[in-house]
Amino acid sequence: MKVTKAEWVISAVKPAQYPADALPEIALAGRSNVGKSSLINRLINRKNLARTSSKPGKTQTINFYRINDILYFADMPGYGFAKVPKSVKAAWGRMIEGYLLHRRELCGVIQVIDLRHPPTRDDQNMYAWLKHYGIPAIVAATKADKISKGQWPKHLKRIREGIGLVPEDPLILFSAQTGQGKEELWKGIRRLTGN
Ligand code: GDP
């Protein structure tokens, strides 16, 4: 997909601030520091629109980006961060749960997982939760450039089995560094949004 326009619209802390123009939405979920911002930037060919954050878990907002005036990316705060009070985790949970359950514009979620490591408990919970509520997902296994090609199948299998990926959800090998998987991911996004 050729992205000619990509703009940050709002960092929302509550539903009243979510965009009201009813465009289809794709949400992004992933552990803090997994490479979610880098993936978004690569998808839209911008160096730094989705800020690559060095403060894991700090941003408790949903960032909305309008792409080509046809869809939104809703970048959710990273999960699995250590060293935050229980109350913050609870607030995170409520916000994300509320968004995922009630947002009519939501077409699906890109869950970003680090290809190098086995899925974490938080990765497993997030995916299980999406499936429990019947939300379509695409799993992007990122940082593929960090391991050798020969190891990819083994690592993909570990992710597929670790989260219990259902056959209808694609698992896409991705690298924000090389751009690998970008077109395949866009294909998946278009399938979800009907664009
Ligand atoms: P976020 O917290 O999930 O948004 O993660 P960031 O996008 O800020 O990425 C965290 C770190 O991983 C940064 O240092 C990125 O440069 C690095 N990173 C992200 N994606 C990739 C990738 O595909 N390949 C490599 N080599 N590094 C990556």
Side-chain angles (χ1 to χ4, degrees):
M1 165 129 144
K2 193 166 186 307
V3 176
T4 52
K5 197 173 171 191
E7 41 191 345
W8 170 83
V9 175
I10 192 165
S11 275
V13 296
K14 54 181 182 194
Q17 298 174 321
Y18 299 165
D21 45 2
L23 292 174
E25 237 159 72
I26 297 289
L28 288 107
R31 181 174 60 70
S32 303
N33 219 32
V34 70
K36 195 152 55 69
S37 312
S38 304
L39 176 141
I40 295 173
N41 287 330
R42 171 57 86 163
L43 275 180
I44 61 184
N45 299 320
R46 296 291 189 277
K47 270 246 142 59
N48 210 14
L49 187 63
R51 271 160 300 159
T52 37
S53 148
S54 55
K55 298 183 204 110
K58 265 277 165 88
T59 29
Q60 298 300 305
T61 59
I62 300 180
N63 277 288
F64 288 89
Y65 301 91
R66 190 166 49 223
I67 313 299
N68 284 357
D69 290 329
I70 56 169
L71 65 95
Y72 280 99
F73 284 151
D75 185 16
M76 303 195 289
Y79 55 71
F81 35 86
K83 291 185 198 146
V84 300
K86 275 217 168 78
S87 59
V88 174
K89 281 191 192 170
W92 180 93
R94 278 196 302 276
M95 182 180 195
I96 298 308
E97 196 165 16
Y99 171 80
L100 290 173
L101 285 185
H102 304 302
R103 184 68 171 160
R104 289 182 171 222
E105 290 81 355
L106 182 67
C107 298
V109 173
I110 298 173
Q111 185 176 354
V112 186
I113 295 183
D114 193 324
L115 179 66
R116 295 172 299 171
H117 310 298
T120 65
R121 178 58 59 87
D122 291 306
D123 290 331
Q124 293 170 330
N125 289 343
M126 181 79 225
Y127 186 74
W129 199 87
L130 292 173
K131 292 305 94 183
H132 179 75
Y133 288 106
I135 299 170
I138 300 172
V139 176
T142 197
K143 303 194 183 179
D145 60 281
K146 291 216 179 198
I147 53 175
S148 63
K149 204 173 168 177
Q151 302 287 314
W152 288 346
K154 186 180 91 188
H155 286 248
L156 285 172
K157 182 168 183 268
R158 197 163 68 172
I159 291 178
R160 188 180 295 113
E161 291 176 355
I163 61 173
L165 190 79
V166 303
E168 49 282 21
D169 287 347
L171 172 61
I172 298 176
L173 201 72
F174 192 88
S175 165
Q177 183 133 312
T178 66
Q180 180 178 4
K182 181 180 150 183
E183 287 315 315
E184 203 186 341
L185 191 47
W186 269 119
K187 214 166 114 188
I189 293 168
R190 279 197 299 264
R191 189 173 59 87
L192 291 179
T193 59
N195 279 309

